[in-house]
Amino acid sequence: MKLDFSHLRGDITGGITAGVVALPLALALGVASGLGPMAGLYGAICVGFFAALFGGTESQISGPTGPMVVVLAGLFASLSGDAALIFTAVVLAGLLQIVFGVLGLGAYIRLVPYPVISGFMTGIGVIIIILQLSPLLGHEAPSGTLGALGHLPTALADIHVANLALGLGTLALVYSWPAKVGKYLPAPLAALIIGGVLAYLLLDVPVLGDIPTGLPTFNLPVIPDQSLWLLVIEAAFILALLGSIDSLLTSLVADNMTRSRHDSNRELVGQGLGNTVSGLLGGIAGAGATMRTVVNIRSGGKTRISGAVHALVLLAIVLGMGPLASNIPLAVLAGILVKVGLDIVDWSYIKRAHQGPRWDLALMGLVLGLTVFVDLITAVAAGVVLAALSFVRQIAKLQIENLRYLPEHLDSEEERGLLERLGHRTLLFEFSGPLSFGAAADLGHHVREHCEPGSQVLLLDFSRVPSLDVSAVVAVENIATDASISGKSLYLIGLNGTVRQTLEKMNGGLPGDGVFNARIDALRAAAIALDRAEAGEAGSLSAMAAG
C-alpha cells in the first residue's frame, strides 16, 4: 500500500467534509438497521477506514448505505434482534467479499444488467421510505415491509402531529438547503442540529435516548443454531453481493469524476476487510457511498487519504458526542432517511423507460416488485436469469438471421457461376459468428426449409464462425444425419482449429463427406462429383465425394 501525499490539503478538506456529511446518515442508518446509532457510526468508521486504505478506488468514501441497511433490518427482524448473529453475518459478508476479490470476480459482478440494478435499487429506496412512514407518524417502526404497510392504517388513525411536522420539515429542509451554504454546513447535518434544538426547546417527540460513548467492544463470531445458520449465511451472501455491486457502481461514478480507473478486485478486498473489522467491532455492514464520494471529490479529495481522514473525523466525534446525540429526534432521522430513499430511486431511468425496449421496463418492474414484496436475493437472481435468457434469445435470433442461404450474397464471379450452373442440385449456407445453444435448435430447421426437391449437395461454410458449443455440434450432426438419410452429400468449409477440434472430439470425427479450406474448392469438388454422377461414372454421389 502506497500513500500519495501530493494532494494532502485537498484530501484533508474532502475527508473532513465527507465525515460531517456521513455523521447524520450513519446515525440514521444505524437506527434503521435495528442495531442502534452507534453501530452505524462504528460501521462508518471501520468500513470507511479499511476500504479507503486497502480498496481499489482512490477517492471513494465507504460506509453504511441504504441497500445494506435494508438487508440488516430484515435480518434483525428474522433473528429477533440477536446482535451477535447479525455481526457474525457481517463478518461472513466481509470474508466473502475478500474471496470475491481474490478470485477476480469484480469484473463479473459489474455485468449485472442495468434494468436489474435499477429495479432493485429503486425497490430498496421504496423499502426505506415505507419503513420510515410509521416513525414519521410518531409510531415505532414495525419489522419488514409488509409489517410496515400493515401497520400504516393504525398509524394514520393516531398521528403524532408534532412528530409528523418535524419529520416533514426535516425533509423540506434537506431538499431546500442552499447549495452555497451546503459547502460549509451539509443539509443533513443542518437538519440534525435545527431539528434537535427545536425538539429540545419546544416539542415533546421521541428521541434516540442514551447512547454509549467510547471505543467499541470486540465481538467474536458465533456459531448459530442449526435452525438459524442457513438464514445467517444467506444474509451474509446477500450483503456481500449487494455491497460489491453498490461499491463498484460508486467506483464507476468516481472514475467518471476523476478521469481515473479503479481496480475492481482490489476494491472488493478492501470492502471485505472493512466489513470484517466492522462486524468484529459491532458495526453494521457498509459499501461505497455515492453521495459521500461525490462530496469528497468536489471538496478536493483525490487519494485514499481522504477516506481515512473521513473515518478519523467520525472516530473523534464518537469519543465524545454521546450526550448530544441522545437528544436527536427520531422524526428528524426519519426525514433524512426518506430523502436517502428518494435519492436511491432511479428517477432518471423511470422518466425515460417508456422510450426504451418494453422488455427492459418489464424486467425493471419485476425486480422492483420482488425486491419490495419478496427479498433481494430472489429479485436479483430472477432478474439476472431472465435478462440472460433474453440476451441469449436476441443473440440466437441474430445468428439465425446471419445464417445466409447463398448464392444471392456471393461476390465471386466464379463461385456465382458455378452455383448457377449447378442450380438447385447444390445448396450453400454461410454461418456467421459464434454458434451457441440459443441458435442450435433452429439451425437444422433453417437448413431444411431451404432444401429443394432434387438437391444433392449441401455446403456449410464455417469461415466466419470462431467457435461453437455442444448444442451447435449436435445441430451440425443432425444436419449431417438428415443429409445422409435423404441421400445428399455434405461438405464442410472453412473450419478453423477450434471449430474443427470441437467437431472431431464431440462427433468422433468430422461429419459429412468432405472438408475444404476455401468455398471455391468445395464448389469445384461438388461440380466434379455431380458431373461424374450424372455421367454414370460412379455408383453414388457420396462415393465420389469421398474419393
Side-chain angles (χ1 to χ4, degrees), residues 199-272:
Y200 182 76
L201 297 177
L202 303 173
L203 302 175
D204 181 19
V205 293
V207 296
L208 281 177
D210 292 337
I211 297 176
T213 58
L215 296 174
T217 57
F218 190 74
N219 296 276
L220 281 174
V222 297
I223 300 176
D225 294 337
Q226 189 173 0
S227 59
L228 299 175
W229 71 269
L230 186 59
L231 186 65
V232 172
I233 291 175
E234 181 185 24
F237 180 77
I238 297 173
L239 286 170
L241 184 61
L242 193 57
S244 299
I245 294 173
D246 204 3
S247 297
L248 294 181
L249 289 176
T250 303
S251 296
L252 291 176
V253 173
D255 286 351
N256 291 332
M257 294 184 68
T258 60
R259 298 295 185 268
S260 59
R261 184 174 179 82
H262 71 278
D263 184 332
S264 298
N265 296 317
R266 181 176 175 180
E267 182 62 33
L268 294 185
V269 172
Q271 294 289 337

Side-chain angles (χ1 to χ4, degrees), residues 285-545:
T290 304
M291 185 180 75
R292 279 157 271 176
T293 299
V294 171
V295 167
N296 175 48
I297 294 172
R298 287 179 176 172
S299 301
K302 293 186 177 181
T303 76
R304 57 186 74 250
I305 293 175
S306 60
V309 170
H310 139 271
L312 294 176
V313 168
L314 290 175
L315 178 61
I317 293 173
V318 163
L319 295 178
M321 69 158 291
L324 291 176
S326 64
N327 293 312
I328 295 175
L330 293 176
V332 171
L333 295 180
I336 292 172
L337 283 172
V338 170
K339 171 66 162 55
V340 171
L342 290 170
D343 286 344
I344 292 175
V345 173
D346 190 0
W347 300 109
S348 63
Y349 177 71
I350 292 174
K351 291 177 182 177
R352 52 194 170 92
H354 65 283
Q355 299 175 345
R358 290 185 178 180
W359 164 250
D360 287 344
L361 177 58
L363 182 62
M364 185 267 194
L366 174 66
V367 175
L368 167 59
L370 290 174
T371 300
V372 175
F373 297 108
V374 185
D375 60 68
L376 285 172
I377 196 67
T378 301
V380 174
V384 169
V385 169
L386 290 175
L389 290 175
S390 174
F391 177 75
V392 169
R393 179 58 185 162
Q394 292 174 10
I395 295 300
K397 185 178 179 181
L398 290 174
Q399 289 173 343
I400 293 299
E401 289 175 353
N402 288 332
L403 174 54
R404 301 187 298 182
Y405 171 54
L406 306 176
E408 58 261 34
H409 300 290
L410 287 177
D411 296 322
S412 168
E413 292 293 336
E414 183 179 1
E415 291 176 355
R416 188 182 298 111
L418 279 171
L419 272 178
E420 289 176 355
R421 183 170 73 81
L422 297 174
H424 67 277
R425 295 179 298 168
T426 300
L427 301 175
L428 174 59
F429 296 89
E430 181 186 57
F431 300 96
S432 179
L435 295 181
S436 65
F437 68 92
D442 293 327
L443 286 180
H445 173 72
H446 190 84
V447 171
R448 280 193 298 272
E449 71 179 4
H450 284 93
C451 285
E452 302 175 16
S455 59
Q456 296 171 284
V457 178
L458 293 181
L459 307 179
L460 304 183
D461 191 349
F462 291 85
S463 300
R464 299 173 62 190
V465 176
S467 63
L468 41 76
D469 63 13
V470 175
S471 299
V473 170
V474 174
V476 174
E477 290 173 354
N478 290 336
I479 294 172
T481 301
D482 289 345
S484 177
I485 293 173
S486 59
K488 297 179 178 64
S489 288
L490 178 70
Y491 293 172
L492 306 180
I493 304 168
L495 303 177
N496 66 27
T498 302
V499 173
R500 186 184 187 106
Q501 186 179 33
T502 304
L503 280 171
E504 284 181 331
K505 287 185 176 181
M506 295 300 301
N507 190 61
L510 291 173
D513 305 291
V515 180
F516 299 88
N517 292 325
R519 187 159 56 197
I520 187 62
D521 294 333
L523 285 169
R524 288 168 183 167
I528 293 172
L530 287 170
D531 290 343
R532 289 180 180 177
E534 188 173 318
E537 294 182 6
S540 69
L541 183 59
S542 295
M544 279 294 177

Side-chain angles (χ1 to χ4, degrees), residues 94-273:
L95 295 175
L96 281 173
Q97 285 183 300
I98 295 173
V99 172
F100 290 168
V102 171
L103 294 179
L105 300 182
Y108 296 98
I109 291 174
R110 291 188 301 167
L111 296 180
V112 176
Y114 186 79
V116 177
I117 294 173
S118 177
F120 81 72
M121 292 301 289
T122 300
I124 286 168
V126 171
I127 290 173
I128 291 175
I129 294 169
I130 290 173
L131 292 178
Q132 298 310 309
L133 293 178
S134 289
L136 276 176
L137 297 171
H139 294 257
E140 290 187 7
S143 61
T145 309
L146 296 179
L149 289 174
H151 184 262
L152 192 56
T154 303
L156 288 171
D158 183 23
I159 299 175
H160 192 301
V161 178
N163 200 82
L164 178 61
L166 185 60
L168 293 179
T170 299
L171 186 60
L173 185 99
V174 293
Y175 268 111
S176 60
W177 193 249
K180 292 182 179 179
V181 180
K183 293 180 180 179
Y184 308 99
L185 181 62
L189 184 60
L192 211 61
I193 295 172
I194 296 172
V197 171
L198 282 175
Y200 182 76
L201 297 177
L202 303 173
L203 302 175
D204 181 19
V205 293
V207 296
L208 281 177
D210 292 337
I211 297 176
T213 58
L215 296 174
T217 57
F218 190 74
N219 296 276
L220 281 174
V222 297
I223 300 176
D225 294 337
Q226 189 173 0
S227 59
L228 299 175
W229 71 269
L230 186 59
L231 186 65
V232 172
I233 291 175
E234 181 185 24
F237 180 77
I238 297 173
L239 286 170
L241 184 61
L242 193 57
S244 299
I245 294 173
D246 204 3
S247 297
L248 294 181
L249 289 176
T250 303
S251 296
L252 291 176
V253 173
D255 286 351
N256 291 332
M257 294 184 68
T258 60
R259 298 295 185 268
S260 59
R261 184 174 179 82
H262 71 278
D263 184 332
S264 298
N265 296 317
R266 181 176 175 180
E267 182 62 33
L268 294 185
V269 172
Q271 294 289 337
L273 286 171

